[in-house]
């Protein structure tokens, strides 16, 4: 594409910040939900096993939308789909705040997963295109904005919890902020070429070996991410035994280093090499979880979650960036294929923790997650597109 034809508002800088804004909206919305999981668990009187089963609805929504999301982004263009997905994602967040029964929460979380994945595929397709305009690795910085938004949203959640603001008011405030960002940034997002928008591709495409390995790396990382997002507050509450006002500390610690790691990720990957960066990431994830499991005290668990956050930070950006270099599929379809595999980890992780905790305890659950996270280091040696 000839980017010199764009108006001044479509310069590289505007393109980058517009796409980054949609990453920020997604992180802001998701972390708002994650920060209130303990409150909603208590409000609906859910057991650990019950919560684990309910949490299955969100990744099921993600998985259900993966094939159609990739096709929609390829057929209609990522620019249109990122707007539709982001708006519906924020609206669904508000619905979650008003649930009064378990079945209502299941339906709302399923929809939250649907729109979240449509936004995810669309915004990452936009990010791949902007990265190609820049001609260097900038994907981690986009995901860093997602994490920064999560960190900010977690802090907002902690504040709202401390002053006893109910989840539905909290979620309405976040949705209003999201709408303001969405409609400001949309006009500056990456235009779709005629080839990209309207391209005729099958809805279901089997990934090749290279994409399969990238998906498995993403799978291991997302098992770990899912555990941190959905269970960090519960872990600090029931394994570390912190006061109610400190249940979000582990999540804030995780999001803090995840954010910092993503902003440093491009710089580190360019100097260490992408493969070594992934090996380091897997080692840090496993080590951090081992510390949190072996020594479930406030200081050591927080330290462990800090290491996990830094380890997780660069895995998905590096995987998505490599996926965008596939020569066998369009960026939207390749991202959908890799995400399909990766999000199985997001699907399995949270309910697995709840089920294991029901029969053993949360520490055993997190130990299993640590073993899976460590596999990232091994799988990275097999991924050719990482080079």
């Amino acid at each position: 594409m000839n980017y010199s034809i764009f108006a001044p508002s479509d310069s590289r800088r505007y393109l980058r910040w517009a796409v980054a804004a949609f990453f920020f909206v997604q992180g802001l919305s998701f972390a708002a939900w994650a920060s209130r999981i303990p409150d909603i668990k208590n409000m609906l009187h859910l057991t650990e096993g019950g919560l684990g089963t309910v949490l299955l609805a969100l990744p099921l929504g993600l998985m259900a939308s993966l094939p159609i999301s990739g096709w929609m982004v390829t057929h209609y263009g990522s620019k249109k789909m990122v707007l539709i997905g982001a708006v519906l994602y924020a609206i669904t967040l508000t619905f979650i705040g008003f649930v009064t029964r378990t079945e209502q929460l299941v339906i709302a979380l399923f929809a939250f997963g649907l729109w979240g994945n449509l936004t995810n595929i669309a915004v990452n397709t936009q990010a791949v295109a902007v990265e190609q305009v820049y001609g260097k690795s900038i994907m981690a910085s986009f995901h860093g904005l997602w994490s920064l938004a999560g960190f900010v949203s977690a802090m907002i959640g902690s504040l709202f919890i401390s002053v006893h603001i109910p989840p539905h008011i909290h979620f309405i405030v976040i949705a209003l902020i999201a709408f303001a960002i969405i409609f400001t940034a949309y006009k500056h997002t990456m235009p779709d070429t005629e080839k990209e928008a309207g391209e005729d591709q099958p809805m279901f495409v089997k990934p090749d070996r290279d994409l399969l390995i990238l998906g498995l790396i993403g799978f291991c990382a997302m098992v770990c991410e899912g555990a941190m997002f959905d269970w960090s507050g519960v872990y600090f509450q029931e394994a570390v035994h912190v006061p109610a006002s400190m249940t979000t500390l582990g999540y804030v610690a995780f999001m803090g280093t995840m954010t910092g790691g993503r902003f440093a990720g491009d710089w580190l990957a360019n100097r260490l090499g992408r493969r070594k960066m992934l090996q380091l990431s897997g080692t840090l994830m496993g080590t951090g979880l081992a510390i949190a499991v072996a020594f479930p005290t406030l200081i050591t668990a927080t330290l462990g979650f800090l290491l996990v956050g830094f380890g997780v930070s660069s895995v998905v950006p590096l995987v998505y960036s490599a996926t965008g270099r596939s020569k066998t599929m369009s960026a939207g379809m390749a991202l959908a294929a890799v995400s399909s595999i990766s999000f199985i980890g997001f699907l399995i992780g949270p309910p697995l923790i709840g089920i294991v905790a029901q029969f053993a305890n949360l520490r055993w659950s997190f130990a299993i997650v640590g073993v899976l996270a460590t596999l990232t280091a091994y799988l990275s040696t097999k991924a050719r597109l990482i080079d």
Side-chain angles (χ1 to χ4, degrees):
M1 181 187 291
N2 180 10
Y3 294 97
S4 63
I5 66 174
F6 294 155
S9 62
D10 290 312
S11 65
R12 295 195 314 174
R13 179 168 57 88
Y14 278 93
L15 289 170
R16 184 171 182 175
W17 281 107
V19 173
F22 278 88
F23 276 94
F24 190 88
V25 164
Q26 226 185 345
L28 195 74
S29 301
F30 185 86
W33 145 248
S35 70
R36 302 308 292 256
I37 288 175
D39 289 335
I40 293 175
K41 172 180 178 288
N42 294 333
M43 182 178 68
L44 298 180
H45 308 290
L46 296 170
T47 64
E48 290 177 348
L51 177 62
T53 302
V54 168
L55 292 177
L56 188 63
L58 194 154
L60 278 176
L62 287 168
M63 293 298 296
S65 71
L66 278 167
I68 188 66
S69 292
W71 180 83
M72 289 177 70
V73 168
T74 299
H75 187 74
Y76 295 108
S78 58
K79 185 178 179 74
K80 289 180 181 178
M81 290 301 103
V82 77
L83 174 64
I84 293 171
V87 169
L88 291 174
Y89 195 56
I91 290 173
T92 305
L93 174 66
T94 65
F95 290 162
I96 294 173
F98 287 96
V99 300
T100 57
R101 299 196 303 270
T102 302
E103 58 269 28
Q104 293 175 343
L105 180 59
V106 169
I107 294 170
L109 288 179
F110 186 85
F112 201 53
L114 283 173
W115 309 132
N117 185 64
L118 176 60
T119 309
N120 179 59
I121 298 298
V123 76
N124 275 286
T125 301
Q126 287 264 314
V128 166
V130 175
E131 188 175 59
Q132 291 172 354
V133 173
Y134 272 75
K136 63 179 181 179
S137 178
I138 60 171
M139 183 66 78
S141 66
F142 284 128
H143 287 255
L145 263 295
W146 188 98
S147 299
L148 177 62
F151 181 76
V152 170
S153 193
M155 296 300 292
I156 293 172
S158 296
L159 174 62
F160 283 6
I161 290 169
S162 68
V163 296
H164 308 292
I165 292 177
H168 69 279
I169 299 297
H170 176 185
F171 294 165
I172 289 172
V173 171
I174 295 299
L176 291 174
I177 295 171
F179 292 148
I181 296 172
I182 288 168
F183 291 108
T184 300
Y186 173 68
K187 61 184 177 180
H188 301 299
T189 52
M190 175 70 73
D192 296 306
T193 64
E194 293 180 4
K195 180 181 178 181
E196 292 163 337
E199 188 173 348
D200 186 19
Q201 288 203 17
M203 189 173 296
F204 298 95
V205 182
K206 181 181 178 181
D208 58 25
R209 176 187 177 278
D210 293 331
L211 292 177
L212 177 62
I213 293 174
L214 289 175
L216 290 174
I217 294 172
F219 169 90
C220 293
M222 287 194 174
V223 168
C224 188
E225 272 193 68
M228 294 293 104
F229 290 144
D230 290 352
W231 285 96
S232 58
V234 179
Y235 189 84
F236 265 62
Q237 183 181 64
E238 300 185 10
V240 185
H241 304 295
V242 299
S245 62
M246 301 182 71
T247 55
T248 59
L249 179 60
Y251 184 77
V252 170
F254 167 76
M255 289 302 299
T257 51
M258 188 177 185
T259 301
R262 283 182 168 171
F263 283 115
D266 291 321
W267 184 85
L268 287 170
N270 288 332
R271 281 151 184 79
L272 297 177
R274 293 182 176 91
R275 197 178 305 280
K276 287 184 179 178
M277 187 67 181
L278 283 171
Q279 291 171 336
L280 175 63
S281 297
T283 301
L284 288 175
M285 285 188 285
T287 301
L289 284 165
I291 292 172
V293 169
F295 308 102
T297 66
L298 179 62
I299 294 175
T300 52
T302 302
L303 173 62
F305 280 30
L306 287 169
L307 292 177
V308 173
F310 192 83
V312 165
S313 64
S314 294
V315 177
V316 171
L318 287 173
V319 166
Y320 281 6
S321 180
T323 299
R325 295 194 292 272
S326 172
K327 302 300 183 184
T328 60
M329 296 185 194
S330 67
M333 294 300 293
L335 284 166
V338 169
S339 294
S340 296
I341 302 166
S342 301
F343 275 113
I344 293 174
F346 211 67
L347 174 71
I348 290 174
L352 175 65
I353 287 175
I355 292 168
V356 173
Q358 192 77 9
F359 292 98
N361 56 52
L362 280 174
R363 293 173 66 189
W364 274 104
S365 299
F366 273 64
I368 293 172
V369 173
V371 172
L372 292 174
T374 305
L375 288 176
T376 302
Y378 169 74
L379 289 170
S380 65
T381 64
K382 307 295 182 181
R384 291 182 296 188
L385 285 173
I386 292 296
D387 294 322

